[in-house]
Amino acid sequence: MTQPPPPPNQPPQQPGFGPPQQPAQPPQQPAQPPAAPGGPDLNKAPEPGYGYPQTPAAPQTPAAPQPPVTPPPAPQGPGYGYPQQPPAAGYGYPGQPQPQPGAYGYPQQPGPYGQPGYAQPGYGYPQPPTMPMQPQPRGGGKKFNAQAAIIVSAVVAIALIVGGGVWYASSSGKDDDKNTTADSGGTSGKDEKNGGSGGTSSGTEEKAPADTGSKVLFQVPAPKVPKGTTSIPTAGSWLTDTVYAKSGIAEIVGYDRAKGTEKWTIELPGPVCEATNRVTEDGKTAIIFKPAMPTKEDPQSCTQLAVIDLAAGKEVWTKTAKSGTMPISFNNVTISGGTVAAGSTSGGAAWEIASGEQLWAPKTSDSCFDSGYGGGEKLVAVRKCGSYDQRQLHIQNIDPKSGKVIAEYKMGEGIEYAAVVSTDPLVVAADVNDSAGDGSGISDFFSIDNKTGKLRTRISAPGEEYAARCDAIYKLEKCTGLAVGGDRLYIATEEHEGGGESYSQTNEVVAFDLATGKQTGQRADAGDGYTITPLRMDGDNVLAYKRPPYDKGGQIVSIDGGTFKQTTLMENPATETVRDVESRMSPEYAEILFSRGALYMSGAYASDFSSASDEKEYLVIAFGTS
């Protein structure tokens, strides 16, 4: 096992640093108890369980013809060494065998939500792919072969048009919503509003309208990338009571939630590298960005951390930190308990949100370092200890003010990376011994008591059966295809052949008990031609997005946490022009926010991918019900 190199085009960093507080480690807990049974066999219908009616297997009949689909031109790789490309399979796990064409996860994809990977690497670093292809509508017909399925289902939403401004339609939507942000990953906190997998601390907020049919509220054209550049990150999107905010190229723009008109713009000297989806009660969030626009000669590093006031549309403060004498280039950022914390391959640092006072930074005398953090109700550090060839991960519930360890769980050998799925309850995901085999970064989930540090249960989640993905190497809080709430893990299954005469692709959402590790027996079916992806918790219910077949619009549904009954909250227009835009916003990579009858879908890249195309491409599309 070896430590991956820091992302290319960043200054050399000194390993072995961490927060100043490093208390004595408690006794090591049993790291790997037997995995709890349970998991769908996708070669057949899942076993019937509580709340799921039995259905016979569908007969094999000839496939229905699919509508013709024309693939887009092949994209070009990034220019000027921009860190836009992801690591190789498994999000860059060192030593992981490269997948073969036709296997799940090939060609390589960027990180969750379309977050950027890294620039052209040097010797020994996994080679990045070209930009992924644009998704194509899914239709009827028999199950795709493996290679075709990958091209269709494992694609990134890329925003690609020259020009600026906003196109918006008339809307009767009201702008008096109170909402939280919605993103796949993380937990909600008392002072951090978030629609992540951890759920909310209050009751259900989302209600079905009398008319679930939506209309387009507005669209934001994709920005033009700088000359000589093929792609640049646009990571980050947030909601407040009145504003939808979205990162552009070296800027953050606040749009009117219902109309899409620009309310404010925060200009930055360089592009946003990464952003937390969490927002404090008073409307503040955090981003990492470059101090200048990258060039071929100087690609720049992600050294700047800023707190942004989304309500006022202002940059509150900007800070940097050092590892020894070198500036830290951060990979991830989160907020919890009035603290903003950022991690990297050379350690983590934290600041008080209100004052900007630094709370901790790496120490040169420490042999451990914080590679990243999970926020929300709790602040959890993923701390790496030991030599490069014998790493051990410590999952630590820490005090957000001091960094003092409250409880700790030491993960066993064979686990080099872990993603924080939820902090309360504490759930982490890992690819044990690189066994997932599909580039998802997940082979197992670990349910941990965040008060004692003891392992509650371990849940096996084979990559060929489940569709969740995490970037456990760099963006430790970025997970898709899952949600956590009510002491349960809700996870999407992989696509498989559906029933009926069309034999189109479909999938389900299933639930695991975080105390026992066993499936509850409940299942929410996407329906033929649809695939369902959990977005976040809404009280005890799960909000999910249904990616539609080629002739339908997408849906937002609420899955009752008790009965698993689905309630449709929104159904988007099925017109071709709208479908073309929505189909590009793959839930695996796009940023999807839903709150109080409004859905916002945005890309995490701007690119010149379709510069030769006459089709308009968009950075954002927003839908609303009456």
Side-chain angles (χ1 to χ4, degrees):
M1 297 186 293
T2 58
Q3 175 71 15
N9 305 316
Q10 297 181 357
Q13 299 182 7
Q14 303 179 17
F17 309 136
Q21 301 79 9
Q22 179 66 13
Q25 306 298 345
Q28 180 170 346
Q29 304 298 333
Q32 310 300 335
D41 178 358
L42 298 183
N43 294 320
K44 63 182 180 63
E47 292 297 329
Y50 172 74
Y52 176 64
Q54 298 189 14
T55 55
Q60 298 291 324
T61 59
Q66 296 190 26
V69 178
T70 303
Q76 301 298 318
Y80 286 165
Y82 281 19
Q84 305 313 317
Q85 299 303 331
Y91 293 88
Y93 282 65
Q96 178 163 332
Q98 297 301 312
Q100 298 302 313
Y104 181 83
Y106 182 93
Q108 302 298 329
Q109 300 299 329
Y113 285 92
Q115 302 303 323
Y118 298 95
Q120 287 295 337
Y123 176 76
Y125 192 81
Q127 294 298 316
T130 56
M131 290 298 293
M133 292 182 67
Q134 171 180 303
Q136 300 296 327
R138 297 192 319 279
K142 289 188 69 63
K143 185 175 182 179
F144 302 115
N145 62 38
Q147 191 168 11
I150 284 137
I151 293 174
V152 173
S153 65
V155 289
V156 66
I158 303 174
L160 313 163
I161 191 168
V162 173
V166 177
W167 178 92
Y168 51 91
S170 61
S171 169
S172 60
K174 297 181 179 179
D175 196 25
D176 57 356
D177 297 353
K178 180 179 181 181
N179 60 278
T180 59
T181 62
D183 199 353
S184 296
T187 61
S188 65
K190 293 178 182 178
D191 64 334
E192 282 80 44
K193 299 186 295 181
N194 154 272
S197 62
T200 60
S201 58
S202 59
T204 303
E205 296 182 354
E206 306 300 339
K207 306 295 182 184
D211 181 3
T212 58
S214 73
K215 55 186 173 184
V216 175
L217 299 179
F218 62 89
Q219 295 178 119
V220 179
K224 180 181 179 180
V225 298
K227 185 178 180 180
T229 305
T230 55
S231 107
I232 203 164
T234 56
S237 55
W238 308 268
L239 283 170
T240 72
D241 288 343
T242 59
V243 170
Y244 167 74
K246 173 63 186 172
S247 292
I249 295 179
E251 67 178 7
I252 299 174
V253 180
Y255 302 94
D256 181 281
R257 284 186 46 163
K259 300 176 182 178
T261 51
E262 293 187 18
K263 302 187 72 169
W264 50 257
T265 299
I266 300 172
E267 294 184 356
L268 300 168
V272 176
C273 305
E274 184 52 49
T276 179
N277 64 310
R278 304 186 184 283
V279 181
T280 64
E281 288 292 338
D282 60 353
K284 293 183 176 63
T285 192
I287 63 171
I288 301 165
F289 64 97
K290 295 187 175 186
M293 291 300 292
T295 65
K296 185 176 182 179
E297 294 74 23
D298 187 358
Q300 300 292 325
S301 298
C302 304
T303 57
Q304 311 295 301
L305 185 146
V307 165
I308 301 297
D309 188 330
L310 298 170
K314 295 180 180 179
E315 184 178 326
V316 180
W317 52 255
T318 297
K319 302 290 182 180
T320 60
K322 290 185 177 181
S323 172
T325 60
M326 300 299 297
I328 296 176
S329 185
F330 294 107
N331 298 325
N332 55 76
V333 62
T334 193
I335 57 178
S336 176
T339 293
V340 55
S344 76
T345 55
S346 61
W351 295 262
E352 184 179 72
I353 294 175
S355 66
E357 177 187 356
Q358 189 171 80
L359 302 175
W360 66 78
K363 296 173 65 176
T364 56
S365 60
D366 205 335
S367 61
C368 301
F369 66 94
D370 291 354
S371 61
Y373 302 93
E377 285 278 3
K378 309 288 184 183
L379 184 60
V380 172
V382 176
R383 191 165 178 79
K384 292 191 174 186
C385 294
S387 61
Y388 284 132
D389 59 350
Q390 197 171 5
R391 286 289 188 207
Q392 184 176 46
L393 293 188
H394 297 196
I395 308 300
Q396 300 177 332
N397 178 15
I398 63 176
D399 185 305
K401 299 300 182 185
S402 66
K404 180 181 178 180
V405 177
I406 299 170
E408 177 180 72
Y409 172 70
K410 295 180 181 179
M411 303 196 82
E413 293 184 4
I415 303 175
E416 292 188 75
Y417 311 98
V420 181
V421 176
S422 167
T423 62
D424 191 20
L426 178 52
V427 180
V428 298
D431 187 357
V432 180
N433 292 316
D434 298 338
S435 59
D438 63 347
S440 67
I442 304 172
S443 67
D444 296 82
F445 292 94
F446 296 79
S447 175
I448 302 167
D449 189 316
N450 55 24
K451 295 181 180 178
T452 66
K454 293 182 178 180
L455 182 67
R456 301 174 68 197
T457 190
R458 175 180 168 184
I459 299 170
S460 176
E464 69 271 15
E465 295 183 12
Y466 297 100
R469 301 175 70 91
C470 291
D471 181 352
I473 295 183
Y474 295 116
K475 306 179 193 312
L476 275 57
E477 224 178 8
K478 294 292 184 180
C479 294
T480 62
L482 52 76
V484 173
D487 212 32
R488 290 181 178 181
L489 168 66
Y490 300 92
I491 184 169
T493 67
E494 285 286 4
E495 292 184 33
H496 57 85
E497 202 168 71
E501 296 182 357
S502 67
Y503 289 95
S504 56
Q505 297 294 100
T506 189
N507 76 327
E508 304 80 33
V509 170
V510 297
F512 287 88
D513 189 305
L514 290 174
T516 66
K518 297 180 180 179
Q519 279 199 43
T520 64
Q522 298 162 301
R523 188 177 93 168
D525 295 295
D528 282 347
Y530 289 88
T531 54
I532 189 168
T533 302
L535 296 178
R536 65 174 175 90
M537 299 301 297
D538 179 38
D540 293 329
N541 298 340
V542 182
L543 292 182
Y545 172 72
K546 284 189 175 182
R547 189 166 171 83
Y550 74 94
D551 57 347
K552 303 286 186 181
Q555 297 179 356
I556 294 292
V557 298
S558 176
I559 304 171
D560 188 280
T563 64
F564 254 51
K565 178 183 177 182
Q566 296 182 48
T567 300
T568 300
L569 304 180
M570 173 182 286
E571 183 165 9
N572 294 333
T575 57
E576 183 177 0
T577 53
V578 175
R579 292 199 322 266
D580 284 348
V581 179
E582 184 178 4
S583 68
R584 289 167 170 80
M585 303 295 182
S586 164
E588 275 191 73
Y589 307 111
E591 297 174 345
I592 301 179
L593 312 182
F594 179 82
S595 177
R596 299 290 182 89
L599 171 66
Y600 304 84
M601 308 178 76
S602 64
Y605 280 106
S607 171
D608 67 352
F609 172 58
S610 64
S611 58
S613 173
D614 294 331
E615 294 184 11
K616 270 195 171 184
E617 302 293 340
Y618 294 91
L619 178 66
V620 178
I621 184 168
F623 299 93
T625 55
S626 299

